[in-house]
Amino acid sequence: MKTQLSSLAKNIRFIIATSAALSATVVSSVNAQQKEEANVEKIAVVGSRAAPRSIADSPVPIDIIGADELSKSGNTDMLEILKGTVPSLNVHTNPISDAASLVRPANLRGLPADSTLILLNGKRRHRSSVIAFLGGGINDGAQGPDISVIPSIALKQVEVLRDGAAAQYGSDAIAGVMNFVLKDDAQGGSLTARHGEYYEGDGTTTEISGNVGMPLTKDGFANLSFQYKNSDATSRSVQRPDAAAFGEAGLNVANPAQIWGSPEINDDISIFGNVGLDLGDDKEFYMFGNYAERDVRGGFYYRNPNTRGGIYGGTIRDVDGVATRQPADIDGDPETFTPEELAWNAATPTILVGSLEGYDQQINCPIVEIGSNGIPDQTALNSLTAANCFAFNQILPEGFTPNFGGNITDTALTIGTKGEFKGGIADGIFYDLSGSVGRSESTFVIYNTVNASLGADTPRDFQPGRYIQLEKNFNFDLVKSVDVGMYDHLNVAGGLEWHEESFEVVVGDEASFIAGPLTSQGFGIGSNGFPGFKPSDGGVSTRRNYAAYVDLEAPITEALLFGAALRFEDYDTFGSTTNYKLTAQWHVTEDLSLRSSLSTGFRAPTVGQANVSNVQTNLDGGVLVDSALLPPTNPISVQLGGSELQPEESQSYTFGGIYTYDNFFLTIDYYHIEVEDRISQSDKINLSQNDKDVLKAAGVPNVDSLQQVSFFTNDFDTTTQGVDVVASYSADLFSGSSKFSLAYNWNETEVTKFSDITGAFKVKRLEEDLPNHRGTLTWAQSYDDFSFFTRVNYYGEYQGVHVDYDATAITADSAITVDFEANYFVNESITLSLGAQNIFDQEATRINIPASQGIPNNNWGGVYYETSPFGFNGGFYYVKASYNF
C-alpha cells in the first residue's frame, strides 16, 4: 500500500508501488553488494544504507538499519536493538508492571507505543493483545504491536520513517513508521549460538538462531528463520522494612520478599518465513508469516500479613450490616458499639477473621490482636479452629508475594501477488493485491496468590483468562508513471484497504473469579492481584473500516521534487476521517539539499481500549490498592467524565537538510507534532459509596475492596517537538576499514490541555519521564581476520519515578554507557565474538526519595528508579559463535 518516489537518476523511469516499500515519498539507493538485485525495478524495497541510516534523496527523514548492524548490537530483543540505533526511540524495563511486563511498549519521539505504525515487508502488522494497564505514565493503556517477536536474524534491514504518515497508511502513523524487511535470499544461510549474563550473575540468557535461503523452483525463493531462547529473571532488590521486621520477629519471610527486576522468559521461540515466486510475464507471488510463543513470569507486590485488605486485614459488618474496620465487641452486646469499644478498636490492630459457619456467626469469632512485634497473638490465633473460624494467618503467616505472567502467542500470514498490467488502457500500471491475517493471544497466569473468599480451600495458582486480538487486512494498490512534460515522469498511485479488528475476552478458570463462602465476611473475591474474567466479561468486540488513498510524486525540475497524498478512511464506530500530506525536496547544490513535510494524522482507539474492563492491583500514594478499569461508556465512567472514545487527531510538520561530500553524510531535521484528544487511561479516581453501589449492581467483583476506578478517555492535548541529527563518515584508517556514525535527538513534550481526570502527576510524567537529550557515537573497524564495534550512548536527565508515586520523583542525572563487540573470523564460515552491553557497568540512578517526604528509600524493596532510560540491570557480557554457509 505504498509507492516509491522516482529517483532523480534519469535511468529509473518508475517503480512498483507495493506495501514492501516504506513510503510513497522515499527514494531508494542501494549499496554495492545489493546493486544486482536493486536494478530489477520491480523489487519494491526501500533500499540499503548506502548513506548510513538515512536516505539522501528522500523528502522525509528515514533511518535504514542493515542486517550487519542488527547482528552487532549485542542484544537479542528487537526493542533493545532499535533503541541502540535510533536515539528518538525509548524503551523501559518494566518491573511489576502488570501486562506491560509481558509485552514491553516502545516510544518513538516521546509518543506512546501505539502511535507508531509497524509494517512487515510493507504490510500493516497486527497489534498485540496485551494492553499496558500499568504503562509508566506515557504508555498507560497503550496497545501496540509486539515487536520483540521479530528475530534480527530474519531481517534484511529495518526502515524507520521519522515522520507522520497517516495519509499513506492510516491509523497509528503519528510518530512514524517502522518497516521490518525480511531476508529474501534463495541460497546460503547462517546459524548462531549466543550465551551471556549480567555482571551481577543473573539474567542468564541462551539463544540459538538460524536462517536458510532455498530456491523455490528456479524462479523463486523460500527464506526461513528461527530463534529460540531462554532468559533467567534478574533482581535489583533489597528487603522491604515491613518484611524485614516480620523476619526479625520469627516469621519465615523470603529475603527479598518482593523482586524488582526483569521477568523470567522461557521457551521463547519465533519462526518466520518469506516466500517469493516469479510467475512470468512480469508477475510474482509472495507469502510471508510467522509463529511465535513464549512464557513469561515476573514479580509482583508483597502481601503484608497484617494489613493487606480482604485477606489479612479488612472489614466485617457491624450490627447494621455496614462495613467497618472495628471487629471487636467488648461488652457482650453485639447490637451497638460503645464509645469505649470504638476507641479500643482504633487503638488495637487486629486481623481479619471469618466464621466457617457463615455470615451470622462471624461476630462471635475470637478477636486476634496484633502484638507490638507485628505478629498476631498466637493463643488467640490457635483458638480459631475450635471456634470454627478462619484467618489466612493460620496458613500463610508470613504473607505472600504473587508472581504475574502468562503465555504469549503471535501468528500472522500475508499472501499476495504483484506485477504489471500490459495492453489496453491499463498498460504500464503496476498492481499489488494482498490479504493478511494476524492474531495475538495472551493467556494470563498468576502464581502464589489466593482467592481469599474461598478460605483455606483456595488454589494458589490461577489462569484469570485470555485476551485475543485478531486483525484482517485486504489491500489493492496501483501505480503508474505518466509523462506530463516535467523533468521526469509523474508518479501516480492509489489504492483501497479493508480492515477488520476484533478483541476477545476469554473467561478465566472458575476459581479465579468465583465468590466463595467468605465473601460476605469481608474476604476478597477472585485471584488476588488479577481477578479472573467472569462470564459476563467474556465476549468479542469487532470493528471494520475501509480506506481509499491517492498519492502523487512530481519531479518538477532536476532540483525540485514535490509530493502530495490524500487518504479517506471510514470506521463503522466513530465515522470517517480525511488526512493529507505534502512533501518537498530542493537540491540547492550537488551536495546540499533541503526537505520539508506537512501532514495531518489520526489514531483510532483500539477495540480493546473501547471495551475492556479489568481489576488490577497497584500502588497509590505508596499504598497497595485494588482499582477497576471500566469501559469509557460504563455508567460510573460517564458519571466521572468518561464518554465514547474518539480518534486522536494530529498536525505535524518537519523541515531539515542533507549534506553529502565524498564519504561524509549529514542530515538535520526539526519536527513539530501536535496531538489533540490523546487516548490514555484516566488518573485513578477514588470511589464514593454511591459509586460502589452502582458497580455492585453491574456485577463488578470485590467492590468493597475497590478504592479506585479508571477508564480510557480523550482527555488531553500535547505538543512534541525535537531535532534529529544523523552523521556518518567512512574511510580507510588504522590499516583497515573504518566507519564512524553519530546520531542525536532532542525531544520535548508539553501537555497543552488536560482536565482533572488526567491528573497533574501524570502530566508531569508525560513531560519529564523521558530524557530530552539522547545520542550515540559508533565506531566500526574491520580487518581481514578481525573486526570490532563500539557504541557510546548518552542519556540526558530524566525524571526518576518509583511505584508511580509523586513523592518519590526526582530529577535523575544524565549517564553514558558503552557497548563493545569484537569478532574473530576463523575462516570464511566461522566467526567467534565476545562483547558486552554497558561494558563499564554504569549504574542507574538509585532511589533517593527527598528527605522531606519521610519515606525510606527501600520502602517498597526497590534499588533503582524504574524509569531509567538504559535499564537498571547493569552490564551484560556475552559470547557468540556464528556459522555461515
Side-chain angles (χ1 to χ4, degrees), residues 297-353:
R297 180 169 178 168
F300 221 36
Y301 294 108
Y302 171 63
R303 270 51 175 172
N304 183 299
N306 288 350
T307 61
R308 178 53 183 154
I311 305 174
Y312 294 103
T315 62
I316 69 165
R317 64 182 180 90
D318 64 16
V319 294
D320 298 316
V322 178
T324 176
R325 276 287 291 163
Q326 289 79 32
D329 173 52
I330 298 175
D331 62 6
D333 176 12
E335 296 302 316
T336 59
F337 283 123
T338 66
E340 293 77 11
E341 288 173 330
L342 292 174
W344 183 91
N345 283 309
T348 308
T350 62
I351 64 170
L352 179 62
V353 176

Coordinates of all heavy atoms in Angstrom, one line a residue, residues 297-353:
R297 N 7.2 -14.9 33.3 CA 6.9 -14.9 34.7 C 7.7 -13.9 35.5 O 8.9 -13.9 35.4 CB 7.1 -16.3 35.4 CG 6.7 -16.3 36.9 CD 6.7 -17.8 37.3 NE 6.4 -17.9 38.8 CZ 6.1 -19.0 39.4 NH1 6.0 -20.1 38.7 NH2 5.9 -19.0 40.7
G298 N 7.0 -12.9 36.1 CA 7.8 -11.8 36.8 C 7.2 -11.6 38.2 O 6.2 -12.2 38.6
G299 N 7.8 -10.6 38.9 CA 7.5 -10.3 40.3 C 6.2 -9.5 40.4 O 5.7 -9.0 39.4
F300 N 5.7 -9.4 41.6 CA 4.5 -8.7 42.0 C 4.7 -8.1 43.4 O 5.7 -8.4 44.0 CB 3.3 -9.5 41.8 CG 2.1 -8.8 41.2 CD1 2.3 -7.9 40.1 CD2 0.8 -9.1 41.6 CE1 1.2 -7.3 39.5 CE2 -0.3 -8.5 41.0 CZ -0.1 -7.6 40.0
Y301 N 3.7 -7.4 43.9 CA 3.8 -6.8 45.2 C 3.6 -7.8 46.3 O 2.8 -8.7 46.3 CB 2.8 -5.7 45.3 CG 3.1 -4.5 44.4 CD1 2.3 -4.3 43.3 CD2 4.2 -3.7 44.6 CE1 2.5 -3.2 42.4 CE2 4.4 -2.6 43.7 CZ 3.6 -2.4 42.6 OH 3.8 -1.4 41.8
Y302 N 4.4 -7.6 47.4 CA 4.3 -8.4 48.6 C 3.0 -8.1 49.3 O 2.6 -6.9 49.5 CB 5.5 -8.1 49.5 CG 5.5 -8.7 50.9 CD1 5.5 -10.1 51.1 CD2 5.5 -7.8 52.0 CE1 5.5 -10.6 52.3 CE2 5.5 -8.4 53.3 CZ 5.5 -9.7 53.4 OH 5.5 -10.3 54.7
R303 N 2.4 -9.2 49.8 CA 1.2 -9.0 50.6 C 1.5 -9.1 52.1 O 1.9 -10.1 52.6 CB 0.2 -10.1 50.3 CG -0.8 -9.8 49.2 CD -0.2 -9.3 47.9 NE -1.2 -9.1 46.8 CZ -0.9 -8.6 45.7 NH1 0.3 -8.1 45.4 NH2 -1.9 -8.5 44.8
N304 N 1.4 -7.9 52.8 CA 1.7 -7.8 54.2 C 0.7 -8.6 55.0 O -0.5 -8.5 54.8 CB 1.6 -6.3 54.6 CG 2.0 -6.1 56.0 OD1 1.4 -6.5 56.9 ND2 3.0 -5.3 56.2
P305 N 1.1 -9.5 55.9 CA 0.2 -10.4 56.6 C -0.6 -9.7 57.7 O -1.4 -10.4 58.5 CB 1.1 -11.4 57.2 CG 2.4 -10.7 57.4 CD 2.5 -9.8 56.2
N306 N -0.5 -8.4 57.9 CA -1.3 -7.6 58.8 C -2.3 -6.7 58.1 O -3.4 -6.6 58.6 CB -0.4 -6.8 59.7 CG 0.4 -7.6 60.7 OD1 0.1 -8.8 60.9 ND2 1.3 -7.0 61.4
T307 N -1.9 -6.1 57.0 CA -2.6 -5.0 56.5 C -3.3 -5.2 55.2 O -4.1 -4.4 54.7 CB -1.7 -3.8 56.4 OG1 -0.7 -4.0 55.5 CG2 -1.2 -3.4 57.8
R308 N -2.9 -6.3 54.4 CA -3.4 -6.5 53.1 C -4.9 -6.7 53.1 O -5.4 -7.7 53.6 CB -2.7 -7.6 52.4 CG -3.3 -7.9 51.0 CD -3.3 -6.7 50.1 NE -3.9 -6.9 48.8 CZ -4.4 -6.0 48.0 NH1 -4.5 -4.7 48.4 NH2 -4.9 -6.3 46.8
G309 N -5.7 -5.7 52.7 CA -7.1 -5.7 52.8 C -7.8 -6.9 52.0 O -7.3 -7.3 51.0
G310 N -8.8 -7.4 52.6 CA -9.5 -8.5 52.0 C -8.9 -9.9 52.2 O -9.5 -10.9 51.8
I311 N -7.7 -9.9 52.8 CA -7.0 -11.2 53.1 C -6.6 -11.3 54.5 O -7.1 -12.2 55.3 CB -5.8 -11.4 52.2 CG1 -6.1 -11.2 50.7 CG2 -5.1 -12.8 52.4 CD1 -4.9 -11.2 49.8
Y312 N -5.8 -10.4 55.0 CA -5.3 -10.4 56.3 C -6.0 -9.3 57.2 O -6.3 -9.5 58.3 CB -3.8 -10.1 56.4 CG -3.0 -11.3 55.8 CD1 -2.5 -11.2 54.5 CD2 -2.8 -12.4 56.5 CE1 -1.7 -12.2 53.9 CE2 -2.1 -13.5 55.9 CZ -1.5 -13.4 54.6 OH -0.8 -14.4 54.1
G313 N -6.2 -8.1 56.6 CA -6.9 -7.0 57.2 C -8.1 -6.7 56.4 O -8.1 -7.1 55.2
G314 N -9.0 -6.0 56.9 CA -10.2 -5.7 56.1 C -11.4 -5.3 56.9 O -11.3 -4.7 58.0
T315 N -12.5 -5.6 56.4 CA -13.8 -5.2 57.0 C -14.7 -6.4 57.4 O -14.6 -7.4 56.8 CB -14.5 -4.3 56.0 OG1 -14.9 -5.1 54.9 CG2 -13.7 -3.1 55.6
I316 N -15.4 -6.2 58.5 CA -16.6 -7.1 58.7 C -17.7 -6.2 59.1 O -17.6 -5.0 59.3 CB -16.3 -8.1 59.9 CG1 -16.2 -7.3 61.2 CG2 -15.0 -8.8 59.7 CD1 -16.3 -8.3 62.4
R317 N -18.9 -6.8 59.1 CA -20.1 -6.0 59.3 C -20.3 -5.5 60.7 O -19.7 -6.1 61.7 CB -21.3 -6.8 58.9 CG -21.5 -8.0 59.8 CD -22.7 -8.8 59.4 NE -22.9 -9.9 60.2 CZ -23.7 -9.9 61.3 NH1 -24.3 -8.8 61.7 NH2 -23.8 -11.0 62.1
D318 N -21.0 -4.4 60.9 CA -21.4 -4.1 62.2 C -22.9 -4.5 62.3 O -23.4 -5.2 61.5 CB -21.2 -2.6 62.5 CG -22.1 -1.7 61.6 OD1 -23.0 -2.2 61.0 OD2 -21.8 -0.5 61.5
V319 N -23.6 -4.1 63.4 CA -25.0 -4.6 63.6 C -25.9 -4.1 62.5 O -26.9 -4.8 62.3 CB -25.5 -4.1 65.0 CG1 -24.7 -4.8 66.0 CG2 -25.4 -2.6 65.1
D320 N -25.6 -3.1 61.8 CA -26.5 -2.6 60.7 C -26.1 -3.1 59.3 O -26.6 -2.8 58.3 CB -26.4 -1.0 60.6 CG -26.9 -0.4 61.9 OD1 -27.9 -0.9 62.5 OD2 -26.3 0.5 62.4
G321 N -25.1 -4.1 59.3 CA -24.7 -4.7 58.1 C -23.7 -3.8 57.3 O -23.5 -4.0 56.1
V322 N -23.3 -2.7 57.9 CA -22.4 -1.8 57.2 C -21.0 -2.2 57.5 O -20.6 -2.5 58.6 CB -22.6 -0.3 57.7 CG1 -21.7 0.7 57.0 CG2 -24.1 0.1 57.4
A323 N -20.1 -2.1 56.4 CA -18.7 -2.5 56.6 C -18.0 -1.6 57.6 O -18.2 -0.3 57.5 CB -18.0 -2.5 55.2
T324 N -17.2 -2.1 58.4 CA -16.5 -1.3 59.4 C -15.1 -2.0 59.7 O -15.0 -3.2 59.6 CB -17.3 -1.2 60.7 OG1 -16.5 -0.5 61.7 CG2 -17.6 -2.5 61.3
R325 N -14.1 -1.2 60.1 CA -12.8 -1.7 60.4 C -12.8 -2.2 61.9 O -11.9 -2.8 62.3 CB -11.7 -0.7 60.2 CG -11.2 -0.5 58.8 CD -10.3 -1.7 58.5 NE -9.1 -1.7 59.2 CZ -8.3 -2.7 59.3 NH1 -8.6 -3.9 58.8 NH2 -7.1 -2.6 60.0
Q326 N -13.9 -2.0 62.7 CA -13.9 -2.4 64.1 C -14.5 -3.7 64.2 O -15.7 -3.8 64.2 CB -14.6 -1.3 64.9 CG -13.8 0.0 65.0 CD -14.0 0.9 63.8 OE1 -15.0 0.9 63.2 NE2 -12.9 1.6 63.5
P327 N -13.8 -4.8 64.5 CA -14.4 -6.1 64.6 C -14.7 -6.5 66.0 O -15.3 -7.5 66.2 CB -13.3 -7.0 64.0 CG -12.0 -6.3 64.4 CD -12.3 -4.8 64.4
A328 N -14.3 -5.7 67.0 CA -14.4 -6.2 68.4 C -15.6 -5.8 69.1 O -16.0 -4.6 69.1 CB -13.1 -5.8 69.1
D329 N -16.2 -6.7 69.8 CA -17.3 -6.4 70.7 C -16.8 -6.7 72.1 O -16.5 -7.8 72.4 CB -18.6 -7.2 70.4 CG -19.7 -7.0 71.4 OD1 -20.0 -5.8 71.7 OD2 -20.2 -8.0 71.9
I330 N -16.8 -5.7 73.0 CA -16.1 -5.9 74.3 C -17.2 -6.2 75.4 O -17.0 -7.1 76.2 CB -15.3 -4.6 74.7 CG1 -14.2 -4.4 73.7 CG2 -14.8 -4.8 76.1 CD1 -13.4 -3.1 73.9
D331 N -18.3 -5.5 75.4 CA -19.2 -5.6 76.5 C -20.3 -6.7 76.3 O -21.2 -6.9 77.1 CB -20.0 -4.3 76.7 CG -20.8 -3.9 75.5 OD1 -20.9 -4.7 74.5 OD2 -21.4 -2.8 75.5
G332 N -20.1 -7.5 75.3 CA -21.0 -8.7 75.1 C -22.3 -8.3 74.4 O -23.2 -9.2 74.2
D333 N -22.5 -7.0 74.1 CA -23.7 -6.6 73.4 C -23.4 -6.3 72.0 O -22.8 -5.2 71.7 CB -24.3 -5.3 74.1 CG -25.5 -4.8 73.3 OD1 -26.0 -5.5 72.5 OD2 -25.9 -3.7 73.6
P334 N -23.7 -7.2 71.0 CA -23.3 -7.0 69.6 C -24.2 -6.0 68.9 O -24.0 -5.8 67.7 CB -23.4 -8.4 69.0 CG -24.5 -9.1 69.8 CD -24.3 -8.5 71.2
E335 N -25.2 -5.5 69.6 CA -26.2 -4.7 68.9 C -25.6 -3.3 68.7 O -26.1 -2.5 67.8 CB -27.5 -4.6 69.7 CG -28.2 -6.0 69.8 CD -28.5 -6.5 68.4 OE1 -29.0 -5.7 67.5 OE2 -28.3 -7.7 68.2
T336 N -24.7 -2.8 69.5 CA -24.2 -1.5 69.4 C -22.7 -1.5 69.7 O -22.2 -2.4 70.4 CB -24.8 -0.5 70.4 OG1 -24.6 -1.0 71.8 CG2 -26.3 -0.4 70.2
F337 N -22.0 -0.5 69.2 CA -20.6 -0.2 69.6 C -20.6 1.0 70.5 O -21.0 2.1 70.0 CB -19.7 0.0 68.3 CG -19.4 -1.3 67.6 CD1 -19.7 -1.4 66.2 CD2 -18.8 -2.3 68.2 CE1 -19.4 -2.5 65.5 CE2 -18.5 -3.5 67.5 CZ -18.8 -3.6 66.2
T338 N -20.1 0.8 71.7 CA -20.0 1.9 72.6 C -18.8 2.8 72.2 O -17.9 2.4 71.5 CB -19.8 1.4 74.0 OG1 -18.6 0.7 74.1 CG2 -20.9 0.4 74.4
P339 N -18.8 4.0 72.8 CA -17.6 4.9 72.5 C -16.3 4.2 73.0 O -15.2 4.4 72.4 CB -17.9 6.1 73.3 CG -19.4 6.2 73.3 CD -19.8 4.8 73.4
E340 N -16.4 3.5 74.1 CA -15.2 2.8 74.6 C -14.7 1.7 73.6 O -13.5 1.5 73.4 CB -15.5 2.1 76.0 CG -15.7 3.1 77.1 CD -17.1 3.7 77.1 OE1 -18.0 3.2 76.3 OE2 -17.3 4.7 77.8
E341 N -15.7 1.0 73.1 CA -15.4 -0.1 72.1 C -14.7 0.5 70.8 O -13.7 0.0 70.3 CB -16.6 -0.9 71.7 CG -17.1 -1.8 72.8 CD -18.4 -2.4 72.5 OE1 -19.2 -1.9 71.7 OE2 -18.6 -3.6 73.0
L342 N -15.3 1.7 70.4 CA -14.7 2.3 69.2 C -13.3 2.8 69.5 O -12.4 2.6 68.6 CB -15.6 3.5 68.8 CG -17.0 3.1 68.2 CD1 -17.8 4.4 68.0 CD2 -16.9 2.3 67.0
A343 N -13.1 3.3 70.6 CA -11.7 3.8 71.0 C -10.7 2.6 71.1 O -9.6 2.7 70.6 CB -11.8 4.6 72.3
W344 N -11.2 1.5 71.7 CA -10.3 0.3 71.8 C -10.0 -0.2 70.4 O -8.8 -0.5 70.1 CB -11.1 -0.8 72.6 CG -10.2 -2.0 72.8 CD1 -9.4 -2.2 73.8 CD2 -10.1 -3.1 71.9 NE1 -8.8 -3.5 73.7 CE2 -9.2 -4.0 72.5 CE3 -10.7 -3.5 70.7 CZ2 -8.9 -5.3 71.9 CZ3 -10.4 -4.7 70.1 CH2 -9.5 -5.6 70.7
N345 N -11.0 -0.3 69.5 CA -10.7 -0.8 68.2 C -9.8 0.1 67.4 O -8.9 -0.4 66.6 CB -12.0 -0.9 67.4 CG -12.8 -2.2 67.8 OD1 -12.2 -3.3 67.9 ND2 -14.1 -2.0 68.2
A346 N -9.9 1.4 67.6 CA -9.0 2.3 66.9 C -7.6 2.1 67.3 O -6.6 2.4 66.6 CB -9.5 3.7 67.1
A347 N -7.4 1.8 68.6 CA -6.0 1.7 69.1 C -5.4 0.3 69.0 O -4.2 0.1 69.3 CB -6.0 2.1 70.6
T348 N -6.2 -0.7 68.8 CA -5.8 -2.1 68.8 C -6.0 -2.8 67.5 O -7.1 -3.1 67.1 CB -6.6 -2.9 69.9 OG1 -6.5 -2.2 71.1 CG2 -6.0 -4.3 70.0
P349 N -4.9 -2.9 66.7 CA -5.0 -3.6 65.4 C -5.3 -5.1 65.6 O -4.8 -5.7 66.5 CB -3.6 -3.4 64.8 CG -2.7 -3.2 65.9 CD -3.5 -2.5 67.0
T350 N -6.1 -5.6 64.7 CA -6.5 -7.0 64.6 C -6.4 -7.5 63.2 O -6.3 -6.7 62.3 CB -7.9 -7.2 65.2 OG1 -8.8 -6.5 64.3 CG2 -8.0 -6.6 66.6
I351 N -6.5 -8.8 63.1 CA -6.5 -9.4 61.8 C -7.9 -9.7 61.4 O -8.8 -9.8 62.2 CB -5.6 -10.7 61.7 CG1 -6.2 -11.8 62.6 CG2 -4.2 -10.3 62.1 CD1 -5.5 -13.1 62.5
L352 N -8.1 -10.0 60.1 CA -9.4 -10.4 59.6 C -9.7 -11.8 59.9 O -8.9 -12.7 59.5 CB -9.5 -10.1 58.0 CG -10.8 -10.5 57.3 CD1 -11.9 -9.6 57.8 CD2 -10.6 -10.3 55.8
V353 N -10.9 -12.1 60.5 CA -11.3 -13.4 60.9 C -12.7 -13.7 60.3 O -13.5 -12.8 60.4 CB -11.3 -13.6 62.4 CG1 -11.8 -15.0 62.8 CG2 -9.9 -13.4 63.0

